[in-house]
């Protein structure tokens, strides 16, 4: 018996040693919750540390008593069993003490929660909509809105053997900007399934639920870039819909808004131009890979039973109007979303041209941006 | 004795004997444990390093979903029903379960349910891929076609559980030997009695929610479809009204098991028997009023958040009482550390660690950072694996000599314990860190920031898996042969099950024993 228990201790020691290098590296390896950059995230962090320490202390006491009796009260050391098996006093003590600790814990938790829920008096409102698998940001009253997708750089790295970059899967094509020193309210909703908008550094996690508009807020004092991810399983590419939030000085923020508005005007202008088949096809392939291939796949074959193939599709080789309708209006109640608001007319024309000519769908059709504009006006 | 078992396969098909049915439940659960474990290893293999190497994201989601469903409904729940079948009649001095034919039926529908669930892996569009919590509308409007089979399988599992629960309640309330008053029943019987009431209360709710899904998918209703005036959050309320008691269904019988084992090897009566009974009952009651702690981020009003936060914190108290009682039972005992005791001690320590992270999750503002990260995965595996699985393992080592008449090999048992113990901690402890560092759960690929922890977790998972193969080997070897066990089996054992010979005869307590 004794020899076995020595062996057990030896094993325990071996485990501890195995973990030691991990602890030495702890500086590089992030072990703990981020403190974040807002007063909310910092009070959340404090709550986390307090409750963690309470648990550790209780753990040391309880496990201490346990290990002591495992050592001292073992039969191999000649321990004789006592026979006590009841004590109302003890039961009351170990009911009351935890109760008191919990009440002490409830106060700071309640006040932090109240702070999180205080969304009044915001300086800026951003409507965030979750889509499979991207975020849409609308600056209410500013006439600016855009979609934010996983960056092309990360997408390229998914299957590659090369080492991943430091921001792998945590970078986007269009970050969302907020001005520093301003209270920003986030209104969070979803267009298809449930998502959850989470940025750890500002301790904001709000579920994006179809039919609901949830509220949250933040106030970031110093400029910085903060990353996050969708935190609610939302289908196939749930792991691939990151968030990049940039806090910038007010002036830079205003300039950025103006730039966005100018870009929108330029797009409307561009819709008037005529493009060659080659231009449309090349552009369309780009759009297809970044916006459609997640479901319809790079080779146009789709995923049987889940996402239909584009190759040989009756829609993509048939009547143009119904093909445009699927792309621009989506198919209600399916993962095929309305792309009219995600793609500009040039992109829509290009991807439609691409789909009607790629993967062996050689229809020879050319769709110009103006066709898209006309189609939408006729609806 | 009346008569022995029938010969051949029909013995198992037609049996109404609680021991046969108990064995079938246990073997079935063992098989599901390996199936669910295989799915887990696919997950861990993909997560070994960043990038996609082995499976596609859609298949990855099918693996997490099937892993969760198979482990919860296939491995843990049937194992406890198997233990109840074997032990409840023997512990209360009853000749068999109260409703033996229903007992046969409630077992035999299970293999069909799981065959149907597993078959979805081979269907076009693949298996369910929406997580074991199957939140709508991902599981309705956006689900693969196989969801209908999933719904039907859940219905069958639910029916099986409800029948099992009715049987256990009927047996405990009606078939106790003379003198076996309620407050003399072993805690395993008590915890199962309370668990059975939980099952009857919540399995119909699960059946209700999947039926509403079925209606949404096939009959044009929109319970959960916002576009039709339905409410996706309603789904979560109904699901967790089932789901939270469900986690206690998986842990209360485990409390009963370790409350039987610790006193045996401490050679000292269980400390605070009656407070254990009351604590179990309070946990069961509280489990009905805390469900929305799984939904702190859905945007409930402040008042709702506070109520559910306070109620959840309260659960820590009866749970703490249990842990204190076990520790005090060991205190001033005369302890030996055979395999069942090792698993039970690991249960107390690791379950308590899971309880601590549970308390942390109860703090709603902090949960905004923990929710849906690997911290939660670490939490529930600390309560489920060393909780449910270790207690079931301990129970098997503890009672296997009674069931088979042979002693298992102690050295091998200890080797199994240490491999499992180390494997488990290496797998799941690092998940606390990756979770706190911000890694969401249910993702097939991740940022290199979390790479080191994930690699360690994956190594641990394969170690844990290997340990379970050793377990299978030990069990089979013990059943085939080994040192003969005495009737008492353990020096410190107490209770009616130890008064019958080992192996326990096919029929026990045909004339009720007298309990003083
Ligand atoms: C062999 C040991 C096990 C390993 C290595 C393991 C591993 C994992 C991993 C890595 C996940 C997270 C998947 C993800 O979020 O991406 C997971 C999820 C889960 N596991 Fe386990 N697990 C094991 C045993 C168990 C047991 C015994 C149970 C239940 C009794 C269980 C229940 C669950 C549940 C309910 C989920 C959640 C599934 C979901 O997200 O829908 N696991 N497991
Ligand atoms: Cu998601
Ligand atoms: Cu719960």
């Amino acid at each position: 018996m004794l020899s076995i228990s020595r062996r057990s201790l030896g094993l325990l020691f071996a485990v501890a040693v195995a973990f030691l290098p991990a602890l030495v590296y702890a500086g590089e390896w992030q072990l703990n919750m981020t403190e974040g950059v807002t007063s909310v995230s910092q009070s959340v962090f404090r709550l986390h540390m307090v409750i963690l320490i309470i648990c550790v202390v209780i753990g040391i006491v309880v496990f201490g008593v346990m290990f002591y009796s495992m050592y001292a009260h073992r039969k191999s050391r000649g321990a004789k069993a006592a026979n006590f098996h009841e004590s109302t006093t003890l039961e009351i003590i170990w009911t009351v003490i935890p109760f008191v600790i919990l009440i002490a814990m409830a106060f700071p938790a309640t006040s932090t929660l109240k702070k999180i829920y205080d969304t009044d008096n915001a300086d800026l409102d951003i409507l965030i909509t979750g889509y499979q698998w991207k975020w849409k940001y609308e600056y209410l009253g500013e006439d600016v809105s855009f979609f934010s997708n996983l960056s092309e750089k990360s997408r390229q790295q998914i299957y590659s053997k090369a080492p991943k970059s430091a921001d792998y899967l945590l970078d986007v094509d269009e970050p969302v900007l907020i001005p520093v020193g301003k209270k920003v309210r986030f209104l969070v909703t979803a267009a298809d399934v449930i998502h959850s908008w989470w940025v750890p550094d500002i301790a904001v996690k709000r579920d994006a639920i179809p039919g609901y508009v949830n509220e949250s807020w933040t106030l970031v004092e110093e400029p910085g870039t903060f990353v996050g991810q969708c935190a609610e399983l939302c289908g196939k590419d749930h792991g691939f819909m990151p968030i990049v939030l940039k806090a910038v000085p007010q002036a830079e923020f205003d300039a950025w808004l103006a730039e966005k508005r100018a870009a929108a005007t330029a797009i409307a202008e561009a819709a008037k131009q005529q493009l060659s088949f080659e231009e449309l096809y090349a552009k369309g392939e780009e759009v297809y890979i970044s916006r459609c291939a997640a479901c319809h796949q790079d080779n146009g074959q789709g995923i049987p039973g889940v996402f239909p193939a584009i190759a040989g599709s009756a829609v993509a080789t048939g009547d143009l109007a119904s093909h445009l309708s699927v792309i621009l209006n989506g198919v209600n109640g399916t993962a095929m979303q309305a792309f009219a608001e995600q793609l500009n007319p040039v992109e829509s024309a290009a991807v439609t041209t691409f789909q009607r000519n790629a993967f062996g769908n050689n229809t020879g059709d050319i769709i110009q941006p103006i066709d898209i504009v006309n189609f939408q006006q006729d609806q | 004795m009346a008569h022995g078992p029938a010969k051949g396969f029909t013995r198992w098909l037609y049996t109404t004997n609680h021991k046969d049915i108990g064995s079938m439940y246990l073997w079935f659960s063992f098989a599901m444990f390996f199936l669910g474990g295989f799915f887990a290893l696919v997950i861990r293999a993909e997560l070994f390093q960043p990038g996609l190497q082995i499976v596609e994201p859609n298949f990855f989601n099918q693996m997490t979903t099937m892993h969760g469903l198979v482990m919860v409904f296939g491995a843990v729940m049937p194992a406890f029903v198997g233990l109840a079948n074997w032990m409840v009649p023997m512990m209360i001095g009853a000749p068999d379960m109260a409703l033996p034919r229903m007992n046969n039926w409630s077992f035999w529908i299970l293999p069909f349910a799981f065959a149907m669930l597993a078959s979805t892996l081979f269907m076009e569009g693949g298996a369910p891929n929406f997580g074991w919590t199957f939140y709508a509308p991902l599981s309705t409007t956006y689900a693969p076609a196989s969801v209908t089979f999933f719904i039907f399988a859940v219905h069958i599992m639910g029916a099986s559980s409800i029948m099992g629960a009715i049987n256990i309640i009927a047996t405990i309330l009606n078939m106790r030997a003379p003198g076996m008053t309620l407050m003399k029943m072993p805690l395993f019987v008590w915890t199962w009695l309370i668990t059975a009431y939980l099952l009857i209360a919540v399995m119909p709710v699960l059946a209700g929610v999947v039926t509403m899904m079925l209606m949404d998918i096939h009959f044009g209703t929109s319970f959960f479809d916002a576009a039709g005036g339905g409410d996706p959050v309603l789904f979560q309320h109904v699901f967790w009204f089932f789901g939270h008691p469900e986690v206690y269904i998986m842990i209360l019988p485990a409390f009963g098991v370790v409350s039987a084992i610790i006193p045996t090897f401490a050679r000292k009566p269980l400390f605070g028997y009656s407070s254990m009974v009351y604590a179990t009952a309070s946990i069961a009651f509280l489990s009905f009023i805390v469900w929305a702690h799984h939904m702190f981020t859905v945007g409930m009003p402040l008042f709702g958040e506070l109520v559910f936060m306070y109620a959840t914190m309260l659960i820590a108290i009866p749970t703490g009482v249990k842990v204190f009682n076990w520790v005090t039972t060991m205190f001033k005992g005369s302890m030996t550390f055979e395999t069942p005791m090792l698993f039970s001690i690991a249960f107390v320590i690791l379950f308590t660690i899971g309880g601590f992270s549970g308390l942390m999750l109860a703090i709603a503002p902090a949960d905004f950072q923990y929710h849906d990260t690997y911290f939660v995965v670490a939490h529930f595996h600390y309560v489920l694996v060393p909780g449910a699985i270790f207690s079931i393992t301990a129970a098997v080592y503890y009672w296997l000599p009674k069931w088979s008449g042979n002693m298992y090999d102690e050295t091998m048992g200890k080797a199994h314990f240490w491999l499992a113990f180390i494997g488990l901690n290496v797998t799941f402890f690092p998940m606390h860190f990756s979770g706190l560092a911000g890694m969401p759960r249910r993702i097939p690929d991740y940022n290199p920031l979390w790479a080191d922890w994930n690699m360690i977790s994956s190594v641990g998972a394969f170690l844990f898996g290997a340990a379970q193969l050793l377990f299978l080997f030990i069990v089979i070897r013990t059943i085939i042969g080994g040192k003969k066990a005495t009737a008492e089996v353990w020096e410190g054992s107490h209770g009616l099950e130890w008064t019958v010979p080992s192996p326990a005869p096919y029929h026990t307590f045909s004339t009720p024993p007298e309990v003083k």
Side-chain angles (χ1 to χ4, degrees):
Chain A
M1 199 64 244
L2 204 72
S3 71
I4 285 172
S5 60
R6 264 211 210 103
R7 193 151 17 110
S8 326
L9 281 180
L11 265 172
L12 213 67
F13 184 70
V15 181
V17 171
F19 267 103
L20 214 63
L23 294 179
V24 174
Y25 270 109
E28 278 178 42
W29 299 22
Q30 192 186 336
L31 289 173
N32 204 353
M33 182 190 284
T34 169
E35 259 192 270
V37 295
T38 64
S39 74
V40 166
S41 74
Q42 279 150 8
S43 30
V44 167
F45 178 76
R46 274 193 300 275
L47 273 178
H48 158 71
M49 287 314 284
V50 170
I51 187 81
L52 176 63
I53 289 166
I54 291 177
C55 289
V56 169
V57 171
I58 299 177
I60 289 175
V61 174
V62 174
F63 298 151
V65 175
M66 205 169 142
F67 283 119
Y68 169 74
S69 32
M70 277 159 64
Y71 171 74
H73 307 144
R74 46 171 61 216
K75 199 182 169 206
S76 54
R77 292 184 87 242
K80 291 272 170 297
N83 198 34
F84 61 85
H85 55 87
E86 223 157 30
S87 160
T88 314
T89 325
L90 268 182
E91 302 285 352
I92 290 177
I93 291 177
W94 62 45
T95 309
V96 170
I97 293 181
F99 192 67
V100 173
I101 297 177
L102 288 178
I103 290 186
M105 206 46 229
F107 283 100
T110 304
S111 65
T112 305
L113 203 56
K114 279 194 176 141
K115 193 153 80 180
I116 292 176
Y117 267 75
D118 178 18
T119 51
D120 291 345
N121 303 321
D123 302 311
L124 173 69
D125 284 331
I126 304 180
L127 176 64
I128 303 175
T129 312
Y131 285 73
Q132 280 183 322
W133 298 288
K134 64 203 100 186
W135 297 100
K136 180 185 184 191
Y137 299 102
E138 261 176 282
Y139 288 73
L140 299 184
E142 299 288 348
D143 199 21
V144 167
S145 94
F146 59 91
F147 281 81
S148 177
N149 297 275
L150 178 67
S151 81
E152 208 35 51
K153 186 183 84 189
S154 282
R155 209 179 285 283
Q156 303 278 331
Q157 291 181 10
I158 295 176
Y159 292 97
S160 98
K161 294 268 177 289
K164 317 288 182 211
S165 51
D167 58 0
Y168 175 59
L169 299 187
L170 295 179
D171 60 341
V172 295
D173 55 358
E174 298 262 10
V176 51
L177 265 65
I178 57 169
V180 294
K182 292 281 161 64
K183 182 166 181 175
V184 180
R185 179 163 52 191
F186 302 114
L187 304 164
V188 187
T189 185
D192 36 46
V193 300
I194 303 177
H195 306 263
S196 188
W197 195 82
W198 179 35
V199 177
D201 278 317
I202 57 172
V204 170
K205 184 182 281 153
R206 268 285 173 238
D207 289 0
I209 305 172
Y212 279 76
V213 179
N214 277 328
E215 293 186 14
S216 192
W217 67 276
T218 194
L219 197 167
V220 180
E221 292 292 356
E222 295 294 325
T225 302
F226 314 106
V227 293
Q229 274 175 282
C230 175
E232 181 63 61
L233 179 63
C234 53
K236 177 175 148 300
D237 279 358
H238 161 58
F240 304 90
M241 51 182 294
I243 296 153
V244 176
L245 175 76
K246 273 193 178 151
V248 297
Q250 183 71 46
E252 195 179 320
F253 179 75
D254 291 335
W256 174 79
L257 281 183
E259 200 182 295
K260 283 273 168 212
R261 276 184 221 114
T265 327
I267 284 168
E269 278 304 306
K272 298 196 183 107
Q273 63 187 327
Q274 289 280 327
L275 295 163
S276 72
F277 175 77
E278 285 69 28
E279 282 172 314
L280 284 166
Y281 190 90
K283 174 103 189 139
E285 181 162 20
E286 227 172 80
V287 174
Y288 180 84
I289 295 294
S290 66
R291 303 298 177 83
C292 319
C295 297
H296 297 293
Q297 304 297 301
D298 285 354
N299 59 8
Q301 294 300 331
I303 300 180
V306 188
F307 304 117
I310 298 300
S313 146
V315 176
T317 54
D319 172 38
L320 176 64
S322 40
H323 188 187
L324 282 178
S325 167
V326 168
I327 297 176
L328 298 174
N329 306 328
V331 181
N332 238 334
T334 76
M336 184 62 206
Q337 41 203 264
F339 278 93
E341 45 175 12
Q342 303 190 34
L343 302 177
N344 62 47
V346 177
E347 289 168 329
S348 299
V351 78
T352 313
T353 308
F354 175 77
Q355 285 196 335
R356 296 184 78 78
N357 293 285
F359 317 124
N361 291 355
N362 308 316
T363 58
D365 296 348
I366 300 177
I367 293 87
Q368 292 291 347
I370 195 70
D371 300 330
I372 304 288
V373 176
N374 291 339
F375 178 83
Q376 282 175 308
Q377 275 164 0
D378 291 347
Q379 284 188 8
Chain B
M1 288 298 114
H3 58 84
K7 294 272 174 288
F9 181 65
T10 52
R11 161 176 177 186
W12 301 103
L13 201 54
Y14 300 151
T15 185
T16 54
N17 179 290
H18 73 104
K19 300 187 180 80
D20 282 353
I21 294 174
S23 302
M24 289 197 294
Y25 264 113
L26 287 168
W27 277 115
F28 176 77
S29 129
F30 213 178
M32 289 299 115
F33 181 53
F34 280 106
L35 182 65
F38 172 74
F39 295 150
L41 293 183
V42 173
I43 299 172
R44 284 302 348 158
E46 177 56 56
L47 293 174
F48 183 70
Q49 61 185 66
L52 290 179
Q53 290 89 19
I54 300 175
V55 295
E56 288 299 310
N58 192 39
F59 189 71
F60 182 92
N61 290 346
Q62 298 173 32
M63 286 292 105
T64 57
T65 308
M66 295 292 273
H67 163 69
L69 291 171
V70 167
M71 284 296 191
V72 169
F73 294 102
V76 175
M77 294 172 68
F80 281 127
V81 180
L83 290 175
N85 257 289
W86 256 103
M87 301 318 300
V88 166
M90 277 163 63
M91 285 178 156
I92 61 173
D96 204 312
M97 297 293 282
L99 308 161
R101 281 168 199 267
M102 191 166 87
N103 206 9
N104 172 294
W105 179 237
S106 60
F107 170 76
W108 272 113
I109 59 179
L110 269 189
F112 293 93
F114 281 88
M116 183 157 21
L117 185 63
S119 72
T120 58
L121 278 166
F122 306 100
M123 291 178 185
E124 195 180 65
N129 56 4
F130 30 65
W132 89 279
T133 49
F134 52 97
Y135 281 7
L138 188 61
S139 62
T140 52
T141 317
Y142 294 83
S146 62
V147 63
T148 307
F149 292 86
F150 155 83
I151 291 173
F152 196 36
V154 168
H155 269 305
I156 302 178
M157 294 169 205
S160 163
S161 290
I162 292 172
M163 287 191 283
I166 291 175
N167 209 345
I168 287 168
I169 293 175
T171 308
I172 297 175
L173 293 187
N174 297 310
M175 308 214 8
R176 296 192 311 281
M180 177 63 79
T181 58
L182 285 176
M183 287 312 272
K184 272 193 192 156
M185 295 193 311
L187 256 168
F188 180 71
V189 181
W190 256 116
T191 52
W192 241 119
L193 180 65
I194 293 170
T195 303
Y197 278 107
L198 285 184
L199 276 169
I200 292 181
V202 302
M203 292 315 274
V205 178
L206 175 66
V209 78
V210 292
T211 307
M212 286 154 95
M213 282 169 60
L214 189 78
M215 295 288 161
D216 272 11
I217 295 167
H218 293 293
F219 303 108
T221 58
S222 31
F223 290 110
F224 307 132
D225 179 5
D231 183 351
V233 177
L234 172 69
F235 174 91
Q236 298 185 23
H237 281 295
V238 183
F239 176 82
W240 285 113
F241 188 84
F242 147 79
H244 193 81
E246 168 67 19
V247 305
Y248 286 94
I249 288 167
M250 291 192 279
I251 205 66
L252 294 184
F255 291 167
V257 168
V258 295
S259 302
I261 294 176
I262 290 177
T264 300
F265 296 96
R267 294 172 179 72
K268 187 165 158 279
L270 182 69
F271 188 82
Y273 171 87
S274 46
S275 77
M276 286 296 229
V277 173
Y278 300 137
T280 312
S282 339
I283 292 177
F285 169 74
L286 287 173
S287 78
F288 283 110
I289 54 166
V290 297
W291 74 87
H293 65 206
H294 298 273
M295 304 164 54
F296 281 142
T297 60
V298 299
M300 273 182 292
L302 179 62
F303 182 71
E305 301 265 315
L306 289 175
V307 168
F308 282 104
M309 173 169 82
Y310 299 150
T312 307
M313 289 164 79
L314 273 185
I315 287 205
I317 293 172
T319 314
V321 167
K322 300 214 142 233
V323 172
F324 299 140
N325 278 325
W326 288 319
V327 173
T328 315
T329 305
M330 292 187 223
F331 192 74
K332 284 204 186 308
S334 170
M335 273 189 275
T336 51
F337 300 91
E338 285 85 346
T339 310
M341 183 63 161
L342 288 177
F343 275 103
S344 301
I345 291 176
F347 170 95
V348 177
I349 298 174
L350 302 178
F351 175 78
T352 305
I353 293 178
F356 285 146
S357 52
L359 184 55
M360 296 171 74
L361 289 160
I363 310 294
D367 183 65
F368 282 96
Q369 294 284 45
Y370 307 136
H371 177 67
D372 261 334
T373 68
Y374 259 84
F375 188 79
V376 175
V377 179
H379 157 70
F380 68 69
H381 281 92
Y382 262 85
V383 289
L384 285 175
V385 182
I389 298 294
F390 269 23
S391 77
I392 293 164
T393 314
V396 169
Y397 280 112
Y398 185 57
W399 284 308
L400 190 59
K402 177 58 61 191
W403 301 337
S404 70
N406 304 321
M407 292 303 287
Y408 61 87
D409 182 316
E410 194 60 62
T411 316
M412 277 208 231
K414 288 206 165 84
H416 170 215
F417 169 75
W418 284 109
L419 283 177
F421 181 82
I422 295 168
L424 173 143
N425 286 293
V426 174
T427 310
F428 297 114
F429 211 80
M431 291 184 186
H432 290 112
F433 301 137
S434 46
L436 289 176
M439 177 165 167
R441 69 192 272 209
R442 294 167 166 173
I443 60 175
D445 191 4
Y446 51 87
N447 181 272
L449 179 65
W450 308 305
D452 301 309
W453 295 128
N454 274 282
M455 197 172 273
I456 296 176
S457 275
S458 292
V459 171
F462 280 87
L463 182 66
F464 188 84
Q468 303 315 320
L469 292 176
L470 178 61
F471 184 34
L472 178 64
F473 175 76
I474 297 173
V475 169
I476 292 177
R477 214 176 93 130
T478 310
I479 293 174
I480 294 173
K483 204 169 109 248
K484 294 290 159 235
T486 59
E488 298 79 29
V489 182
W490 310 107
E491 191 185 42
S493 55
H494 280 286
L496 288 177
E497 78 259 39
W498 309 108
T499 62
V500 301
S502 304
Y506 199 55
H507 296 285
T508 37
F509 298 125
S510 301
T511 45
E514 192 68 43
V515 182
K516 283 173 288 299

